[in-house]
Amino acid sequence: MAILIGDIAPDFTLQSTEGTIHFHDYIDGSWAVLFSHPKNYTPVCTTELGYTAKLKDEFAKRGVKVLGLSVDKIEDHEGWAKDIEETQGTALNFPLLADSEGEVARKYDMIHPNADNTLTVRSLFVIGPDKKVKLKIEYPASTGRNFDEVLRVIDSLQLTAKHQVATPVNWKQGEDVIIVPAVSNEAAKAKYPGGWKELKPYLRIVPQPQG
């Protein structure tokens, strides 16, 4: 069965470039990004991992632990990591999991037989501190992901988990948000004493809550 938003992210234990990872223990209390790449020593994956490494501080300030996953063996990761540093200008600085038996790829539905029956597609999962899947994105092997979009979505997920708001189309950090319909006007007055802009009874715009 496919892993759906709201499901508990399956646990696993795998070797990585930073030692053995017991997934649920490793991410305990943190947000996490788990993403697969089809194969080591491939051009698109090289650019993705290099860019993700450059975002280390951005993920850290959001309390996010990042893990990459490949179906290649652990011994194949070291040489590729050198290539990533040489070509992308940043050393690998997060664990790269070696799922050589494809166990995790199957648990997370990362292999799509009609695309390729052995290699993973570009699957990405954002997992909350409750270990539940908050987001899943899948790209074909030929298309590199937009990790700036991943950060944008994490900002939205973390904001909406804390406050009773939703984020509108193309929202970015600091922009106005939407009061969710479940919050009555009376409750909204207590939360937002400065008021809001009501375009429709169900569409109430308010500045992004702080804190």
Side-chain angles (χ1 to χ4, degrees), residues 102-199:
E103 175 193 355
V104 176
R106 287 189 294 274
K107 277 185 178 180
Y108 279 81
D109 252 4
M110 293 172 169
I111 295 174
H112 294 194
N114 290 330
D116 191 300
N117 63 6
T118 57
L119 301 180
T120 58
V121 296
R122 297 186 191 285
S123 297
L124 184 145
F125 297 86
V126 175
I127 297 150
D130 57 1
K131 299 185 175 65
K132 290 184 179 180
V133 173
K134 306 300 182 182
L135 171 82
K136 58 182 290 191
I137 309 176
E138 293 173 334
Y139 287 69
S142 57
T143 302
R145 286 165 282 214
N146 183 337
F147 280 83
D148 294 333
E149 166 65 2
V150 175
L151 289 175
R152 187 191 77 88
V153 175
I154 290 170
D155 285 341
S156 172
L157 289 168
Q158 293 185 339
L159 178 70
T160 57
K162 192 171 184 180
H163 303 279
Q164 290 179 299
V165 296
T167 55
V169 61
N170 296 336
W171 174 87
K172 294 189 289 296
Q173 183 71 261
E175 294 181 349
D176 289 351
V177 298
I178 297 167
I179 302 171
V180 297
V183 175
S184 69
N185 279 346
E186 261 107 50
K189 283 174 187 173
K191 288 176 71 71
Y192 308 107
W196 58 86
K197 183 192 298 182
E198 186 170 299
L199 304 180

Side-chain angles (χ1 to χ4, degrees), residues 9-28 30-37 48-49 52-53 55-56 59-60 63-71 74 77 80 92-99 104 108 110 120-128 131 145 147 150 154:
D11 197 12
F12 59 81
T13 299
L14 278 181
Q15 292 300 310
S16 82
T17 50
E18 297 187 10
T20 302
I21 298 284
H22 304 284
F23 185 56
H24 278 192
D25 291 342
Y26 182 79
I27 68 170
D28 192 41
S30 300
W31 288 76
V33 169
L34 173 67
F35 70 106
S36 62
H37 53 275
E48 284 193 337
L49 291 182
T52 303
L55 294 176
K56 180 181 177 65
F59 283 115
V64 179
K65 294 184 176 180
V66 178
L67 300 99
L69 180 140
S70 169
V71 293
I74 189 70
H77 287 350
W80 188 33
L92 200 64
N93 52 27
F94 55 89
L96 191 54
L97 299 159
D99 186 28
V104 176
Y108 279 81
M110 293 172 169
T120 58
V121 296
R122 297 186 191 285
S123 297
L124 184 145
F125 297 86
V126 175
I127 297 150
K131 299 185 175 65
R145 286 165 282 214
F147 280 83
V150 175
I154 290 170

